[in-house]
Amino acid sequence: MAFKAPTPTPKGLWRRTPPAIFPPVLGLLGLALAWRRGEGEFALPTGLSDMFIGAITLLALFAVLTYVVKFARRPAVVLEDLRILPGRAGLAAGVLSLYLLAAAIGPLAPSEARPILLLGLGIHLLFNIAVIWTFAKGPAEQRRVNPVWHLTFTGWIVGAMVAQSLGLPQLGKVLFVVALVAGVAIWAASARQFQRESVPAPLRPLLAIHLSPAALFGTVAAGMGAANLAQAFAIISAVLLAVMVVKARWLLESGFSPMWGALTFPVAATANCWLAVGGVWRLPGALMLIAATLLIIPIAAKILKLWAKGQLAVKTNAAIA
């Protein structure tokens, strides 16, 4: 059988923007917001976190722009990206990044941040519909529960956290309940599946995503004044993180890949959670913030380097517009 050469990317700017760029962008946004909280908690020099947030916001806006251009060339390309796991994970992270962009500018321009939050909610709803449609039309293997489902269906908790920060507590409570139902269902299904099946080494970094909902539920519960619930989720996040650390060699057995982007946002969310809960979690939160910084920035830099070299789209099989 003759070898078939890969289809070359047609000429034109950003025709093959890889969705895999969004998980590290989401992680960097989460880290920047965690540093904003840490700056207030520990009386650090003011303005440093805003400089960091400003730089990451520009990066996030550029990443969004490149995918919007790809989408504008051929809207159906989104459905093609959704057929593969890196595409679904990346696009889900891109949607959640919109929420964090609203949170980033919230303290400076709340009237401009709220429309971004609402835009994120609308796009998130459409994204959920598109994913469900893809599952219905695609092979059964696509419908297997995996940690990326948290980004898609439990990701409303990110909107809840941002709604709180923008002075919309009732919206935050509604989104919290929706996300909690989805999150518990996905955790339960994942636990049953994990007992029956082993996870291939290249996909194991995605397991870190299970940490994100616990941390985010704790952050939102703290914002609602539900201290006991916040403490419970802080403990759950600590247990999940401890398991990740103990199993780090197994988790990362296949070596560095763009899938490592899935490690970034969970650790940033955990640092933010522990700082938000406060009390006995204050010092662990500070240490976690430092550890998250040392982990997220190198991973994000390596993935950004792959993107700049044009290798990220090939490695993650991104669709071509």
Side-chain angles (χ1 to χ4, degrees), residues 26-44 48-50 52-53 56 100 103-104 161 215-216 219 264-276 282 284-293 296:
L26 181 66
L28 287 169
L29 282 168
L31 179 63
L33 293 173
W35 270 108
R36 174 184 279 169
R37 189 184 295 275
E39 184 179 271
E41 286 287 329
F42 300 102
L44 299 175
L48 291 179
S49 66
D50 284 339
F52 186 23
I53 288 172
I56 301 305
L100 296 193
M161 179 182 70
L216 290 163
T219 301
T264 60
F265 182 62
V267 293
T270 301
N272 199 29
C273 170
W274 294 356
L275 290 173
R282 190 168 180 265
L287 296 175
M288 188 63 197
L289 182 57
I290 295 171
T293 304
I296 292 170

Side-chain angles (χ1 to χ4, degrees), residues 142-211:
Q142 287 186 346
R143 296 189 286 275
R144 292 178 71 256
V145 177
N146 61 67
V148 174
W149 282 39
H150 277 307
L151 298 176
T152 304
F153 302 112
T154 316
W156 299 103
I157 191 61
V158 182
M161 179 182 70
V162 177
Q164 276 187 348
S165 71
L166 297 180
L168 300 169
Q170 295 306 315
L171 176 59
K173 288 179 181 178
V174 171
L175 294 173
F176 176 85
V177 172
V178 171
L180 184 60
V181 171
V184 170
I186 293 169
W187 275 328
S190 297
R192 289 195 299 269
Q193 189 168 278
F194 191 74
Q195 290 176 341
R196 300 193 306 264
E197 305 172 18
S198 60
V199 181
L203 300 182
R204 289 174 193 167
L206 295 176
L207 293 172
I209 297 173
H210 285 300
L211 175 61

Side-chain angles (χ1 to χ4, degrees), residues 99-264:
Y99 292 137
L100 296 193
L101 285 172
I105 70 170
L108 305 175
S111 59
E112 285 77 18
R114 287 174 183 170
I116 297 175
L117 169 62
L118 296 177
L119 175 65
L121 290 171
I123 292 176
H124 195 171
L125 179 60
L126 293 174
F127 179 71
N128 274 217
I129 294 170
V131 169
I132 292 170
W133 188 89
T134 302
F135 287 167
K137 296 294 184 180
E141 291 77 13
Q142 287 186 346
R143 296 189 286 275
R144 292 178 71 256
V145 177
N146 61 67
V148 174
W149 282 39
H150 277 307
L151 298 176
T152 304
F153 302 112
T154 316
W156 299 103
I157 191 61
V158 182
M161 179 182 70
V162 177
Q164 276 187 348
S165 71
L166 297 180
L168 300 169
Q170 295 306 315
L171 176 59
K173 288 179 181 178
V174 171
L175 294 173
F176 176 85
V177 172
V178 171
L180 184 60
V181 171
V184 170
I186 293 169
W187 275 328
S190 297
R192 289 195 299 269
Q193 189 168 278
F194 191 74
Q195 290 176 341
R196 300 193 306 264
E197 305 172 18
S198 60
V199 181
L203 300 182
R204 289 174 193 167
L206 295 176
L207 293 172
I209 297 173
H210 285 300
L211 175 61
S212 295
L216 290 163
F217 289 140
T219 301
V220 176
M224 293 190 301
N228 291 337
L229 191 59
Q231 289 283 347
F233 279 116
I235 292 170
I236 292 171
S237 68
V239 171
L240 290 174
L241 179 65
V243 172
M244 284 174 53
V245 171
V246 170
K247 292 289 188 178
R249 181 174 294 183
W250 176 83
L251 200 68
L252 307 176
E253 183 181 350
S254 64
F256 177 78
S257 77
M259 291 294 188
W260 281 37
L263 302 172
T264 60

